[in-house]
Amino acid sequence: MTVVSVHWFRLDLRLHDNPALLASIKDCDKFIAVFINDDFTGGLRGAGYNRAQFLTQALNDLNDQIRAVGGYLHILKGQPSEIFRSLHAEVGITRISFEQESEAIWQDRDDAVRQVAAELGIELLEEVSHTLWNPFDVLAANGDTPPLTYDMFLQVTSCLREPDHPVPNPEWDDVLFAEITEHLATRLKLYNGVPTPEQLGYFPEGKEEMQYLGGETHALNLLKRRLSIDEEAFMDSFIPTELINPDLLAPPMSMIPAISIGCLSVRKFYWDIQDVYFKLYGGSSPTINILIAEVIWREFFICSSIHNPNFDKIEGNPVCIPIPWQSNNKLLSAWRDGRTGYPFIDACMRQLRKEGYMHHACRAAVACFLTSGDLFISWEEGQRVFSKYLIDVEWSPCAGSWMLLSSSAFDNQLDSSICCPVNYGRRLDPTGDYIRRYVPELSSLPKDYLFEPWLAPLSIQENNACLLGTDYPHRIIMHKVASKQNNKILSHISQDMSDFEVDYPDPLLHPFFLCLPQSCYHNVL
């Protein structure tokens, strides 16, 4: 029987360490590579222009690599189950392979494909490489239930074997690519090449200028630069300075955007960092490795969401504390648009909308401000904004992080007193240059007033062309008053939390809390 194999690219937009792709091309007579735009796959759910552009860049890079070995990445529009039914009827496909996506939101889509494959007798190959461990193995090791504390997750995964090493790159010499006829291309709504974000229905809101480029080629180049920085840091200490007191204006070095859509294998990232450390310290592993912890938190949230389709909601979500958030569209819009009157918060939100990215410490600041720290608006609203503008948003890590930072889950403190929008700015942007870049109307204001422009006398405002209420907005809320009120509400809720088994994480292990005062440097080893 002729084996016609299709690999369905989803969140594995790469050729390296792609076990499903390797299984697909093994012993096949003809091969087809597809990506299916169902307005859902590839992180398009609730996405905006930046995310769509990041995705299309990745698809262009992948297509270029496949064309270099004689094939094409066919990008189709429609429902995957119906497309595979048509490919079976017209091309005679006998095998479908794809990277397993374990989060609950993908299961209806994948179950429909599994049903079609079973009905038509198509071989189905599913592999796991989007996470370090198979999330279902983690659940099985924890009594078929997700570990809902970070420490518990670490304990469970320590009982599993180490994450698999990356598999070899595919060999293309004996792979014959199948052709798709013009008639079938029309039926399948095949795009003529890789579509632009505009062709996918996404349009810029302003002058977006992403600092990240999508695609495997760029991701691997960035990883090389990242590893060289990490090696220097490991030679001096266990924690790179960029992660302790980040330079918010430096080119971002996080690999999570590339990992989020599979341009970089998370297993390659994990083992490459381990190899750097092993080379320096003779094979011993660090007790605390911030770089790997960033990835482990992602794994934790993915596992926490298994079998929970409401993980991104308050209602019907068993891990989420139902805090009585207020609804205020005016305040929400001011936060989203970077017009709160708090310069550091506004700088973060403007960077997000312009570049599709901001440092995790900035994400913590704006999340606390929106929720328990100041505005007391639901984390669901913040999640929607992040889902639209962030290039590296993932369903469960985004929802999990918002629940954590809003004291809605994974946190038994219920204390927002540490969330000060002024102090965040002073600690993370001590020179004020970050604020000056993204809030240019404040650029000439003396540093003494930059973080609290409401303290500037009228003469200072006039002399520096920054009149509050005209050039820059007044504060939309009084932080000290709001914080006191919010803490009172949270305190009452805390007394009724006996049904929630939660665990406050060690802030040193969480990528959102990596800003330490200089006086603490001698303790960072």
Side-chain angles (χ1 to χ4, degrees), residues 305-371:
S305 72
I306 299 296
H307 303 316
N308 183 0
N310 295 320
F311 191 72
D312 63 338
K313 302 178 180 65
I314 296 174
E315 187 175 354
N317 184 354
V319 305
C320 181
I321 301 170
I323 295 173
W325 305 108
Q326 70 160 327
S327 178
N328 190 315
N329 289 332
K330 184 177 180 180
L331 295 181
L332 176 62
S333 296
W335 174 81
R336 180 197 62 212
D337 297 339
R339 303 285 297 171
T340 69
Y342 287 91
F344 184 73
I345 300 299
D346 293 342
C348 295
M349 293 305 296
R350 294 186 195 186
Q351 182 189 21
L352 168 64
R353 297 189 63 175
K354 182 178 182 180
E355 300 174 6
Y357 182 81
M358 58 177 160
H359 194 278
H360 286 288
C362 296
R363 301 182 196 195
V366 300
C368 287
F369 184 85
L370 179 71
T371 58

Side-chain angles (χ1 to χ4, degrees), residues 374-385:
D374 289 87
L375 303 185
F376 217 71
I377 291 175
S378 172
W379 62 267
E380 291 179 312
E381 299 290 354
Q383 176 188 236
R384 276 189 277 272
V385 172

Side-chain angles (χ1 to χ4, degrees), residues 267-307:
R267 303 190 304 193
K268 178 174 176 56
F269 179 51
Y270 177 92
W271 283 111
D272 280 5
I273 287 179
Q274 294 285 339
D275 290 345
V276 169
Y277 192 88
F278 293 164
K279 183 177 69 174
L280 293 173
Y281 294 101
S284 61
S285 285
T287 303
I288 295 177
N289 192 320
I290 294 288
L291 299 169
I292 294 176
E294 181 181 10
V295 171
I296 302 301
W297 272 97
R298 172 181 177 269
E299 303 266 329
F300 166 62
F301 287 134
I302 290 175
C303 282
S304 298
S305 72
I306 299 296
H307 303 316

Side-chain angles (χ1 to χ4, degrees), residues 397-415:
C398 182
S401 296
W402 270 101
M403 283 189 280
L404 171 64
L405 292 167
S406 65
S407 298
S408 295
F410 319 115
D411 175 7
N412 64 2
Q413 295 277 310
L414 285 177
D415 180 6

Side-chain angles (χ1 to χ4, degrees), residues 34-255:
V34 302
F35 178 88
I36 301 173
N37 172 29
D38 57 359
D39 298 322
F40 196 54
T41 300
L44 290 178
R45 182 176 185 263
Y49 182 82
N50 282 329
R51 177 69 172 186
Q53 185 178 40
F54 190 62
L55 174 64
T56 55
Q57 289 172 347
L59 293 173
N60 268 304
D61 182 76
L62 183 60
N63 185 45
D64 288 345
Q65 294 188 75
I66 296 176
R67 289 185 65 182
V69 294
Y72 289 94
L73 175 63
H74 301 286
I75 302 179
L76 314 169
K77 171 72 174 176
Q79 292 303 313
S81 58
E82 295 307 311
I83 286 175
F84 290 128
R85 188 182 295 276
S86 296
L87 285 172
H88 178 267
E90 300 288 340
V91 184
I93 64 171
T94 60
R95 177 192 294 167
I96 300 172
S97 66
F98 54 83
E99 165 69 42
Q100 184 186 97
E101 295 171 10
S102 57
E103 294 166 308
I105 57 166
W106 309 112
Q107 297 315 304
D108 287 345
R109 177 202 62 188
D110 291 354
D111 284 345
V113 171
R114 294 181 184 112
Q115 182 176 345
V116 167
E119 175 189 333
L120 300 177
I122 299 173
E123 180 186 10
L124 205 61
L125 303 175
E126 300 183 45
E127 299 286 347
V128 176
S129 64
H130 194 54
T131 51
L132 293 174
W133 296 278
N134 186 329
F136 294 102
D137 291 344
V138 177
L139 263 66
N142 194 52
D144 294 323
T145 185
L148 290 181
T149 73
Y150 185 81
D151 286 344
M152 186 186 299
F153 180 81
L154 293 178
Q155 291 173 11
V156 173
T157 53
S158 69
C159 298
L160 302 174
R161 61 186 176 87
E162 287 188 311
D164 290 337
H165 286 266
V167 299
N169 290 342
E171 297 288 344
W172 297 101
D173 293 345
D174 298 325
V175 176
L176 179 64
F177 289 88
E179 297 289 337
I180 291 183
T181 65
E182 186 174 337
H183 168 72
L184 182 58
T186 302
R187 277 193 56 194
L188 295 178
K189 298 181 180 179
L190 177 67
Y191 289 96
N192 182 19
V194 176
T196 64
E198 290 81 1
Q199 289 172 322
L200 293 175
Y202 300 90
F203 299 91
E205 295 181 353
K207 296 181 178 180
E208 284 83 350
E209 299 176 5
M210 292 199 310
Q211 292 196 44
Y212 275 96
L213 292 176
E216 178 181 15
T217 301
H218 176 72
L220 293 175
N221 288 334
L222 181 62
L223 178 61
K224 289 180 182 178
R225 298 198 297 272
R226 168 71 181 264
L227 291 175
S228 67
I229 294 173
D230 293 342
E231 182 171 5
E232 292 181 6
F234 286 152
M235 291 174 66
D236 184 50
S237 66
F238 291 164
I239 304 175
T241 303
E242 192 275 336
L243 289 177
I244 302 171
N245 274 63
D247 181 354
L248 301 182
L249 293 176
M253 299 299 292
S254 172
M255 302 311 305

